[in-house]
Amino acid sequence: MTDMPAVPAMPAMPALRQLVLILGDQLSHDSPALAGLDAAQDAVLMIEAPGEATRVWSHQARIAIFLAAMRHHAHALRQRGLTVHYIRCDAPGQPPGLAERFARALAELQPRVVKALEPGEWGIEQDLQRTAAQAGIPLRWLDDPHFLCSRADFQRWAARETELRMEFFYRWMRQRERVLMAPDGGPAGGRWNFDADNRSGYPKAGPGEIPPPARFAPDAITREVIDEVRQHFGHHPGTLDHFAWPVTREQALQALHRFIDTRLVHFGTWQDAMWSDTPFGWHALLSSSLNLHLLHPREVIAAAEAAWRDGRAALPDVEGFIRQILGWREFIRGVYWGDMPGMAQANHLQAHEPLPGWWWTADTPMACLREAIGQTLRHGYAHHIQRLMVTGLFALLARLRPDQVAAWYLAVYVDAVEWVELPNVAGMALYANGGRFTSKPYVASGAYIQRMSNHCQGCRYKPAVKTGSQACPFTTLYWALLDRHEAEFASHPRTALMVKNLQRLSGPDRQAIRDWAEVVLDEHVRRCAAA
């Protein structure tokens, strides 16, 4: 019997010195996690996880923008000569969850250490840290230089303050970063804030011609993603028929330049205005690129400030734009990490009504909500007033459950990452944390929407009517909310006048509002609960 030939031994896989984990919202080519990588002994890991798309019922456009941007980024890294282990959504035999896929990758690759930027979500950070610990592999978190204020710097600033207010943080950041500052050390134009100049509604004739934002025809990679999303997530809300978002660094820069050159000039004046069939207004549409790390906030701020100094845009327009990025965006990230995980469970006003099913369809007789939600389903986008003072205001007035509302916001917008979405929803729109970092609850009647839009024209409801079949639900529920929380709102300096107006109503009128509010909630909320 002859001996069988020896089977040659498989070559030993070289030891992996370090593995860089890049999450879907960390797509900067200048990430410090990539510094010093050696393709011969280091590698990058990127993971598409279908569980992230179903944990909240994500809009098809939100899924597509993340996957398309991730695949373009992986392609660019490979062109730089880096080794990229990329796990696609439909990878055979893979579990759906991000942490589970990470665990399997660690078991297969056995790196000596994993490096990653701080995630944008508290729960993901906890899951990944626990997964690495269970695998016995060190996980080293790096500060994310995409933000101008680190978590540690924000906490040091907050520790010095008697209350958390964006305005004070914004002034500190302006001084620290030398943005919009005069030679004498004061604010440019002698004022820190031009918000009072930036609250106009459109003229009665409408907004007129608005230069369109930059939009991008999907290339081969993005078309492949769109086909896959339609195949695997076609039952999710929204549509991909209008998908034209920037998904690469080059496209994001084009979008920035288009905004600075053609739209910044009237951004401030009309930033709060709403008009039917005008989904983008004068807004920048840069938040998704910022949140994916395709653009750095410093370059966006610098471009806007240069436009003012060159005389291409007025100071109120530029300051209003920069305040959203240098002020609110950085501030909201700081309070998120300072207040988690409690922020996710906050429910100060004890709101327990279910999220209506029509929030996923826009099938409502209320014209303003039909417009805002319909636009969201078409584009995965709505600007800050539509979010705060239409959908957010209704959720607050109708006492919708904060956790369900926050999940909806996280699901439906292409720029949604929890660090920005949860504080804006729970803290600002819903007052769920009792004013922890806001100066007042943002409550208003239907008159606000009438003043800032044309949505009330032709709507079956009348903003001035409090009760009865023609009463605007916003107006009814506004007065009912004041009645319900009268003592608390009377003691608040920013809402005390509202309560004084409530107290001018007769006892029977107040009871009629209470009774009609129950009718409104039954019709628009309780009988319409989402499945």
Side-chain angles (χ1 to χ4, degrees):
M1 183 174 180
T2 58
D3 292 335
M4 295 291 291
V7 176
M10 292 291 292
M13 181 177 293
L16 192 58
R17 182 181 64 166
Q18 56 184 346
L19 181 66
V20 173
L21 174 64
I22 296 180
L23 299 176
D25 58 342
Q26 299 176 345
L27 307 181
S28 169
H29 295 299
D30 298 325
S31 169
L34 297 172
L37 289 192
D38 179 354
Q41 55 184 338
D42 302 323
V44 170
L45 173 64
M46 298 182 69
I47 302 172
E48 296 177 3
E52 291 300 301
T54 56
R55 184 166 53 91
V56 293
W57 197 31
S58 292
H59 193 297
Q60 294 179 55
R62 180 175 185 259
I63 301 170
I65 196 172
F66 273 85
L67 298 189
M70 289 174 67
R71 293 186 190 182
H72 280 95
H73 188 65
H75 177 70
L77 293 180
R78 287 181 174 128
Q79 286 189 317
R80 287 168 56 176
L82 296 176
T83 300
V84 180
H85 297 282
Y86 195 95
I87 303 173
R88 290 169 57 130
C89 260
D90 56 359
Q94 285 279 352
L98 174 63
E100 292 80 9
R101 291 185 169 209
F102 180 49
R104 183 168 292 187
L106 292 181
E108 293 175 355
L109 299 173
Q110 288 293 307
R112 295 175 189 168
V113 65
V114 176
K115 293 195 309 183
L117 296 186
E118 304 160 320
E121 184 171 324
W122 183 87
I124 286 179
E125 183 174 273
Q126 299 296 307
D127 288 345
L128 296 179
Q129 186 69 58
R130 181 168 51 251
T131 300
Q134 290 170 349
I137 298 174
L139 172 55
R140 183 156 67 93
W141 297 116
L142 304 178
D143 285 351
D144 188 350
H146 174 81
F147 295 93
L148 302 181
C149 184
S150 69
R151 292 193 207 172
D153 280 353
F154 185 87
Q155 291 308 313
R156 283 190 284 269
W157 171 83
R160 300 192 298 265
E161 300 296 312
T162 56
E163 58 181 1
L164 297 180
R165 292 292 180 264
M166 190 279 287
E167 182 64 27
F168 304 136
F169 172 78
Y170 171 56
R171 296 181 185 187
W172 176 67
M173 288 292 287
R174 287 264 298 271
Q175 293 172 309
R176 192 178 87 156
E177 300 296 321
R178 301 298 302 167
V179 172
L180 291 181
M181 299 299 293
D184 64 2
R191 291 163 56 185
W192 290 105
N193 189 313
F194 288 82
D195 188 45
D197 299 333
N198 293 337
R199 299 175 181 171
S200 299
Y202 290 127
K204 289 185 178 181
E209 185 175 353
I210 302 174
R215 306 287 279 167
F216 302 93
D219 64 7
I221 293 175
T222 303
R223 289 197 302 272
E224 179 184 46
V225 166
I226 288 173
D227 290 342
E228 290 179 19
V229 172
R230 283 176 171 151
Q231 178 182 354
H232 298 295
F233 302 101
H235 60 291
H236 279 231
T239 177
L240 291 167
D241 294 346
H242 309 284
F243 190 91
W245 293 100
V247 293
T248 67
R249 165 77 173 160
E250 294 73 22
Q251 290 176 347
L253 286 171
Q254 290 179 46
L256 169 62
H257 296 152
R258 175 75 64 84
F259 171 69
I260 296 296
D261 292 342
T262 67
R263 296 162 64 81
L264 175 61
V265 65
H266 289 309
F267 165 80
T269 306
W270 310 118
Q271 65 176 302
D272 287 2
M274 299 175 285
W275 201 263
S276 297
D277 300 318
T278 308
F280 307 127
W282 291 89
H283 284 260
L285 278 69
L286 298 176
S287 55
S288 63
S289 295
L290 281 164
N291 292 353
L292 291 170
H293 293 194
L294 301 177
L295 292 175
H296 194 286
R298 193 182 303 278
E299 69 185 328
V300 176
I301 292 165
E305 182 171 11
W308 167 63
R309 295 195 183 278
D310 295 345
R312 291 176 287 140
L315 183 57
D317 294 286
V318 171
E319 187 278 321
F321 176 68
I322 287 177
R323 185 174 357 113
Q324 290 193 8
I325 300 173
L326 183 62
W328 190 249
R329 187 173 186 271
E330 297 280 337
F331 177 79
I332 214 72
R333 188 225 186 197
V335 296
Y336 171 81
W337 286 106
D339 286 4
M340 283 299 285
M343 181 186 293
Q345 288 82 46
N347 193 356
H348 175 73
L349 297 179
Q350 295 300 298
H352 298 294
E353 298 292 348
L355 185 77
W358 51 262
W359 276 54
W360 301 103
T361 65
D363 184 15
T364 173
M366 292 176 278
C368 57
L369 283 160
R370 186 171 63 246
E371 179 72 23
I373 295 175
Q375 168 190 313
T376 295
L377 294 174
R378 287 189 296 276
H379 300 288
Y381 171 84
H383 69 65
H384 67 274
I385 290 299
Q386 293 172 310
R387 300 188 200 195
L388 176 65
M389 298 304 296
V390 180
T391 51
L393 177 59
F394 182 84
L396 171 62
L397 298 178
R399 310 198 298 270
L400 303 186
R401 283 178 48 177
D403 60 335
Q404 292 186 356
V405 177
W408 182 84
Y409 277 92
L410 186 60
V412 298
Y413 293 118
V414 296
D415 58 7
V417 183
E418 191 179 81
W419 68 263
V420 65
E421 213 61 59
L422 181 59
N424 272 304
V425 175
M428 191 175 185
L430 301 186
Y431 203 66
N433 63 356
R436 163 94 168 114
F437 52 81
T438 53
S439 60
K440 65 177 180 178
Y442 284 83
V443 294
S445 70
Y448 175 85
I449 296 172
Q450 184 178 41
R451 184 169 69 252
M452 299 305 298
S453 76
N454 69 331
H455 298 330
C456 300
Q457 299 173 14
C459 183
R460 63 186 280 187
Y461 302 113
K462 309 302 178 187
V465 180
K466 299 182 182 70
T467 59
S469 60
Q470 289 191 317
C472 173
F474 282 84
T475 300
T476 302
L477 296 175
Y478 164 78
W479 291 105
L481 187 81
L482 295 180
D483 179 76
R484 182 182 177 90
H485 299 285
E486 180 176 1
E488 177 180 350
F489 284 14
S491 65
H492 195 297
R494 301 291 296 274
T495 53
L497 181 59
M498 298 178 185
V499 173
K500 287 184 179 179
N501 291 331
L502 171 75
Q503 292 169 345
R504 294 190 180 100
L505 300 178
S506 67
D509 284 344
R510 290 180 63 167
Q511 185 59 51
I513 289 171
R514 295 182 197 120
D515 293 341
W516 193 253
E518 293 302 306
V519 174
V520 170
L521 291 175
D522 283 341
E523 179 180 354
H524 296 289
V525 177
R526 294 166 183 154
R527 296 173 188 166
C528 308

